Amino acid sequence: MGVASHRTGGNLSGPRVAVEVVAIGDELLLGDTVDTNGAWLGTTFSAAGIRVVRRAIVGDDDDAIRSAVTDALARTGVVVCCGGLGPTPDDRTRPAVASIYGWPLEVDESWVATMRSRFEVRGLTMSPTNVVQAEVPRGATVFRNAIGTAPGLGLADDERGVTVLLPGVPREMRWLLEHHALDWLRERLLHGKRRINRRVLRTTGVAESTLAERIADITGDIAPVTLAFLPTGAGIDLRLTSWGDADDETAGNRLGEIEGSLRARLGRAIYGEDGADLAEIVGNTLRSRGWTIAVAESCTGGLLAKRLTDAAGSSAFMVAGVVSYSNEAKTAFLDVPAATIEHHGAVSEETAAAMLDGILRRAGTHCAVSITGIAGPGGGTEEKPVGTVWVGVTCGGARRVRRLRLFGDRAEIRERSVQAALKMLLDMLSPE
């Protein structure tokens, strides 16, 4: 599934901030490395009120880098480059971009000393080639890198525009942007400008086409705000965006009005906002009540237990998880009667219910979840095709066992099974 963007008329002109991103490295063009930096930058800049309007990938070549950066500066006046700041001869970003500005490279001796000290602390001797990473275009701002040897750089003048250079290593790139470069950009770009404002509502358990039908009359008249449907393996995110056509207060009020209408129409299909994680919401709800949980999984292979324990502090509510992948394990560890499996099958309402009873009895928790199904690609039958999953949930005395018919590949079916189980649990924890 792709991204469906619903624009509802109105012009998108106005005083907003746009930036282009250039990823640099032969490994990106060859497919050896995937450019995850670009996606992260798009999300981070959008949240900061800066819109990424174009992304490009070029190799480690001076002419290609100069061309990409020069073109980007001509279009928007702002470009962020990732990669090519290492110490080897194929790292060409610094000299290529410095030549655009006409600024000579000079060695920053203080950064050389910092690098040498870091090597010595680890009992190593710094190679002379690392000195290249201390070469700085005269007039550039140096963003000191606390977790690597390549500093970030900021270049700005009235004639050429604004360029930020960041390492391609994702961890270093993110650290430098969050601790230095983003504030530096804000100071230069957002003064007197209108910000992008956005809001994301997270849904699960409702198909994209069904969501669109249920809210069609609401979204038909929201211009200049736009709505995008963003499918994920776990559900559909609804992203509302005000693109800088209004001041922050006006945009916030309008987004709030539209959100209220969507919530009224979609109800419990919406489980959170922005980056909310359903497992974390469930965990927080359990913790607030002082309740505990145990899970029994088959086709999901422990994925539900992982989701619940990913967040720090999960020991306050998570007691146990059993992966009973084989029929024998279901009987040995969850007391599922062999006769139940023989008569109804491992993927059945009866087996899911018995797994639920077994883990609840063994763990003695307030809540329990069981999952058994056929994730594929093989194992399906006409009666029980691939994607047939049974989920059982019990909490505080309430109980439900439900059959799901899921689509997708093996990984998607497993992910959707867990998301459905978490949503059933949340609905049971927070009944209407």
Side-chain angles (χ1 to χ4, degrees):
M1 291 185 290
V3 174
S5 181
H6 297 248
R7 298 189 181 277
T8 54
N11 70 73
L12 295 179
S13 62
R16 64 177 63 84
V17 178
V19 63
E20 297 195 22
V21 174
V22 177
I24 299 166
D26 289 342
E27 69 278 5
L28 299 173
L29 294 176
L30 293 171
D32 296 330
T33 301
V34 177
D35 176 30
T36 58
N37 288 339
W40 185 86
L41 285 169
T43 300
T44 302
F45 278 136
S46 177
I50 300 170
R51 183 182 184 187
V52 175
V53 296
R54 188 188 296 257
R55 285 164 51 188
I57 298 176
V58 298
D60 297 305
D61 176 80
D62 285 47
D63 290 340
I65 296 170
R66 277 194 294 267
S67 176
V69 174
T70 299
D71 291 348
L73 289 172
R75 284 187 292 263
T76 63
V78 188
V79 60
V80 175
C81 299
C82 299
L85 299 183
T88 57
D90 62 329
D91 292 304
R92 304 301 305 160
T93 302
R94 271 182 301 267
V97 173
S99 68
I100 296 172
Y101 283 77
W103 296 354
L105 291 172
E106 300 175 339
V107 175
D108 182 336
E109 295 295 346
S110 69
W111 187 249
V112 174
T114 296
M115 286 192 293
R116 184 171 288 115
S117 175
R118 291 181 183 174
F119 277 94
E120 290 173 353
V121 166
R122 292 180 290 170
L124 302 172
T125 300
M126 187 181 81
S127 169
T129 59
N130 284 102
V131 175
V132 172
Q133 295 183 286
E135 291 182 350
V136 175
R138 182 186 299 166
T141 299
V142 178
F143 307 131
R144 298 181 71 83
N145 187 347
I147 61 175
T149 55
L153 299 169
L155 298 82
D157 70 19
D158 293 337
E159 179 182 350
R160 298 170 186 84
V162 176
T163 302
V164 169
L165 308 184
L166 299 171
V169 179
R171 178 170 171 264
E172 295 184 33
M173 182 277 297
R174 296 179 184 188
W175 190 93
L176 281 166
L177 189 80
E178 291 173 338
H179 289 80
H180 295 292
L182 187 55
D183 285 342
W184 185 85
L185 281 170
R186 281 194 184 109
E187 291 174 4
R188 284 154 182 79
L189 305 181
L190 293 179
H191 181 67
K193 302 288 184 71
R194 290 177 179 170
R195 297 165 53 91
I196 297 172
N197 288 272
R198 71 175 190 170
R199 199 162 297 181
V200 177
L201 302 178
R202 312 209 71 181
T203 77
T204 192
V206 181
E208 181 178 357
S209 57
T210 303
L211 282 175
E213 291 173 0
R214 288 171 61 177
I215 62 177
D217 60 323
I218 297 173
T219 58
D221 187 27
I222 62 174
V225 173
T226 62
L227 170 67
F229 291 73
L230 308 175
T232 71
I236 309 294
D237 288 348
L238 303 177
R239 186 186 65 208
L240 295 167
T241 307
S242 175
W243 294 96
D245 301 272
D247 60 76
D248 283 356
E249 182 178 359
T250 302
N253 290 338
R254 182 61 178 143
L255 289 174
E257 292 172 0
I258 299 170
E259 178 186 345
S261 297
L262 293 176
R263 285 185 176 278
R265 183 63 55 82
L266 298 177
R268 295 169 72 86
I270 298 173
Y271 67 83
E273 298 180 15
D274 298 320
D277 178 71
L278 183 54
E280 187 173 354
I281 294 172
V282 167
N284 289 338
T285 305
L286 288 167
R287 186 187 294 109
S288 69
R289 295 192 175 193
W291 284 6
T292 55
I293 187 171
V295 300
E297 303 179 64
S298 183
C299 65
T300 49
L303 184 57
L304 175 57
K306 179 186 181 302
R307 287 281 304 276
L308 287 168
T309 57
D310 274 345
S314 55
S315 59
F317 57 84
M318 182 66 177
V319 172
V322 172
V323 178
S324 54
Y325 215 68
S326 69
N327 292 343
E328 292 77 13
K330 291 177 176 63
T331 298
F333 298 110
L334 298 173
D335 305 319
V336 178
T340 298
I341 299 175
E342 182 180 351
H343 293 151
H344 302 284
V347 180
S348 64
E349 179 179 7
E350 291 78 7
T351 296
M355 291 171 64
L356 190 64
D357 292 337
I359 191 65
L360 190 66
R361 183 168 53 251
R362 293 269 183 140
T365 51
H366 300 88
C367 305
V369 178
S370 65
I371 303 176
T372 182
I374 306 169
T381 65
E382 184 175 347
E383 181 185 359
K384 298 178 183 180
V386 170
T388 301
V389 179
W390 282 93
V391 176
V393 177
T394 181
C395 210
R399 178 187 176 91
R400 184 183 182 190
V401 181
R402 175 188 174 194
R403 184 180 64 178
L404 308 174
R405 289 290 179 88
L406 303 175
F407 298 94
D409 60 23
R410 181 177 178 83
E412 290 170 330
I413 289 172
R414 284 155 58 101
E415 182 180 8
R416 289 167 181 162
S417 298
V418 169
Q419 191 77 353
L422 289 168
K423 187 60 167 60
M424 287 173 62
L425 180 58
L426 181 63
D427 289 346
M428 197 168 286
L429 285 166
S430 305
E432 291 182 307

